[in-house]
Amino acid sequence: MVICSVLALFSIFSKSMAEARERTFIMVKPDGVQRGLVGKIIKRFEAKGFKLVALKFTWPSEDLLKKHYADLAGRPFFPGLVKYMSSGPVVPMVWEGLNVVKTGRFMLGATDPKDSNPGTIRGDLCIQVGRNIIHGSDSVEAANKEINLWFEPKELIAWKPASEAWIYED
Ligand code: IDP
Ligand code: MG
């Protein structure tokens, strides 16, 4: 029993950095699509070194968006948010990598673009909170929930990028 626990602990700590990765759910919102920013946004995550696991182009229903934003249902801007998010196609994606949830949020910038630092996606590419072009999960738990909501397990692709050995130390 003790030996098993020690072995289990060892296997956790001996995981390489490439294996100790998490996933996040990123989505280009309808305004990002309409403004032709899909490629630019994908490029930032690719260039950083994160791995693309899933991607689709879809026009989401109000029902799906109400589930996605369920924790904001009581907020005054909720009806407008659902209307905006269902007004056209979006690009939902799953990206994987070390600390990708937290780093992804840094790359997005603050929720309100007037507070987003230059160099961030929102800081560079949009102006108003109600048209802030991109969504990113705020925790690993939220990421898992959102990934399950937007993707079937078979849509999450298992692959090893050729660049991985040059992005992670081991
Ligand atoms: P986040 O997208 O940075 O995680 P949340 O607080 O989870 O921010 O809000 C979800 C989305 O709701 C925002 O990205 C934005 O599109 C919208 N939103 C948030 N606050 C406001 C507001 O005060 N007015 C209009 N829309 C808002
Ligand atoms: Mg949020």
Side-chain angles (χ1 to χ4, degrees):
M1 181 66 184
V2 175
I3 292 172
C4 283
S5 309
V6 170
L7 281 176
L9 266 179
F10 179 76
S11 75
I12 289 167
F13 287 115
S14 67
K15 268 188 177 175
S16 70
M17 285 204 202
E19 284 169 323
R21 58 205 156 194
E22 56 191 35
R23 288 174 172 180
T24 193
F25 177 76
I26 300 290
M27 175 164 52
V28 183
K29 296 180 175 182
D31 46 342
V33 172
Q34 296 288 351
R35 293 179 52 205
L37 297 173
V38 173
K40 207 169 244 179
I41 288 169
I42 291 176
K43 196 168 183 64
R44 292 203 182 202
F45 283 85
E46 260 189 330
K48 175 76 176 165
F50 290 131
K51 177 175 119 176
L52 183 63
V53 170
L55 174 148
K56 64 176 129 185
F57 184 57
T58 178
W59 192 322
S61 65
E62 289 198 6
D63 187 49
L64 177 59
L65 291 160
K66 282 177 186 162
K67 285 183 188 147
H68 176 79
Y69 282 125
D71 54 341
L72 298 175
R75 306 295 288 273
F77 58 82
F78 184 74
L81 174 62
V82 171
K83 193 167 170 236
Y84 150 57
M85 288 296 301
S86 61
S87 66
V90 296
V91 180
M93 296 174 263
V94 178
W95 289 89
E96 185 179 285
L98 191 65
N99 298 321
V100 68
V101 172
K102 192 170 172 212
T103 303
R105 292 285 292 191
F106 278 133
M107 290 168 67
L108 262 60
T111 302
D112 190 331
K114 76 171 159 40
D115 304 319
S116 312
N117 287 325
T120 64
I121 293 168
R122 288 166 172 163
D124 288 349
L125 302 172
C126 57
I127 292 173
Q128 267 201 311
V129 68
R131 295 291 181 273
N132 63 357
I133 71 169
I134 184 165
H135 167 84
S137 311
D138 62 7
S139 66
V140 172
E141 193 190 14
N144 291 335
K145 188 199 113 186
E146 292 165 1
I147 291 167
N148 286 332
L149 191 58
W150 289 84
F151 290 97
E152 302 279 332
K154 67 173 189 300
E155 293 175 308
L156 306 173
I157 307 301
W159 68 293
K160 189 173 165 59
S163 58
E164 206 160 79
W166 299 98
I167 290 170
Y168 294 100
E169 286 178 46
D170 50 27

